[in-house]
Amino acid sequence: MANHLNFTIDRSSPVPLYYQVAQGIEAAISSGLLVQGSKLDNEIDLAARLNLSRPTMRKAMDELVRAGLLVRKRGVGTQVVSKQVRRPLELSSLYDDLTLRGSKPTTDVLSFAHVEADVATLQALQLAPGAQVYHFKRLRKVDGKPLALMENWVRDDITSMDEASLSAEGLYAILRNGGVNFRLASQRIGAMIANDYQGPLLEADVGSALVTMERTAVDDTGRMVETGHHVYRADSYSFEMTLVQR
C-alpha cells in the first residue's frame, strides 16, 4: 500500500522520520485515500519501500495504533480503523460539522423530558425561578459507530421539541428553525476516563480516555439559549484551533 501513499520523506527536516511517516499515513486516512478496512503492507516491506529502518517504521505504526487510526490483527495484518473526527473550535453543531465533512450522523435519544430547571440550569441559562427547560441525552453515531454522548438543557420559550425532531435533526438546526441566530458561546474542553455508564454506550473500554466539552450558547439578543455537557471517544475525536500572537 505504501507505493500508493502520496507523501515523501524529508531527511533534512528536523521532524523525526517516524513522525513524518505517521503524518503521511494519517493524511491518507483523512483524505479518504486509505479507507476504513484498508490493509497496509507489513512493516518490513513498508520500511524497504520508504528506505527506512524497521524500528523507525514500527515506531510510526505504533503511533497510529495508539491514536486509534490503525489496528493490528493476528493473521490479518495492520488495517485502517477509521479517520478521526477533527472539529474546528467555532460555534457550530457536531451534527452539522459531520454532515459537511461527508459523514452520516445518526442520533439515539436516550432520554427526554420537559421539566422545571434546577438551580444550576437556572444560573447557566439566566432563567427565573420556576422556568421550565427541555432536558435530554443523546448518543451521536457516525456511520453507525458511537462517537459522542451528549446531555443538554434548552430553554422552552424558543420552539417546541420532541424526541422525533431530535432524532432526525441536529439541535442547532432545530433552534435556527425556531428563529435563533447564534452569536457566541462559552466553552470548556477537558478530559476524563470512561465510567460504567459511558463506556458501554460509546463502545469504549471503561477507564479509556474521553474528550469532554461544556458549552453555553448565546444568541444575538443576548439570551442564553442552551447549555450542555458532552463526552467524545478520544480515539475518534479531537478539536482544532488556530492560535494568534497578541
Side-chain angles (χ1 to χ4, degrees), residues 1-2 5 7 21 25-26 28-29 34-35 37-43 45-46 49 57 61 64 69-71 76-81:
M1 188 65 68
L5 297 179
F7 69 89
V21 175
I25 296 176
E26 181 179 355
I29 294 172
L34 288 177
V35 299
S38 296
K39 182 180 176 182
L40 273 69
D41 293 336
N42 64 58
E43 292 171 3
D45 290 341
L46 286 172
R49 290 180 180 179
M57 180 57 64
M61 303 296 270
L64 294 166
L69 297 177
L70 300 180
V71 63
V76 176
T78 304
Q79 288 183 295
V80 175
V81 178

Side-chain angles (χ1 to χ4, degrees), residues 4-212:
H4 299 301
L5 297 179
N6 187 26
F7 69 89
T8 57
I9 303 299
D10 183 0
R11 298 179 185 279
S12 65
S13 171
V15 178
L17 296 179
Y18 84 90
Y19 192 70
Q20 291 186 49
V21 175
Q23 285 184 313
I25 296 176
E26 181 179 355
I29 294 172
S30 297
S31 68
L33 180 62
L34 288 177
V35 299
Q36 183 174 339
S38 296
K39 182 180 176 182
L40 273 69
D41 293 336
N42 64 58
E43 292 171 3
I44 296 176
D45 290 341
L46 286 172
R49 290 180 180 179
L50 294 172
N51 195 24
L52 296 170
S53 69
R54 186 179 179 185
T56 296
M57 180 57 64
R58 171 166 285 275
K59 191 171 183 180
M61 303 296 270
D62 287 345
E63 187 79 13
L64 294 166
V65 169
R66 280 195 296 270
L69 297 177
L70 300 180
V71 63
R72 292 187 177 102
K73 295 182 179 180
R74 185 180 299 275
V76 176
T78 304
Q79 288 183 295
V80 175
V81 178
S82 64
K83 52 185 178 181
Q84 189 180 57
V85 175
R86 292 187 170 187
R87 186 177 179 188
L89 272 178
E90 58 186 33
L91 188 47
S92 60
S93 73
L94 175 59
Y95 190 97
D96 292 341
D97 289 342
L98 292 170
T99 301
L100 286 172
R101 66 191 289 272
S103 297
K104 297 179 179 179
T106 58
T107 306
D108 296 340
V109 180
L110 305 177
S111 66
F112 179 86
H114 187 202
V115 296
E116 185 173 320
D118 59 20
V119 173
T121 306
L122 291 176
Q123 293 176 344
L125 297 181
Q126 297 182 0
L127 297 172
Q132 292 196 317
V133 293
Y134 295 111
H135 176 208
F136 44 88
K137 295 180 182 179
R138 297 166 295 157
L139 180 64
R140 179 63 44 75
K141 297 179 180 179
V142 183
D143 302 323
K145 294 188 175 182
L147 173 66
L149 184 60
M150 306 175 292
E151 183 173 14
N152 290 81
W153 294 260
V154 182
R155 57 190 306 149
D156 73 345
D157 57 356
I158 297 173
T159 188
S160 61
M161 291 185 184
D162 55 30
E163 294 183 55
S165 62
L166 288 166
S167 295
E169 298 182 82
L171 173 58
Y172 278 24
I174 294 173
L175 292 172
R176 288 191 181 99
N177 288 336
V180 171
N181 293 311
F182 288 100
R183 181 174 179 82
L184 58 89
S186 172
Q187 183 164 283
R188 177 181 296 174
I189 308 300
M192 66 179 300
I193 60 173
N195 59 31
D196 293 338
Y197 171 71
Q198 299 158 338
L201 286 171
L202 291 170
E203 297 180 9
D205 294 334
V206 174
S208 62
L210 300 177
V211 178
T212 67

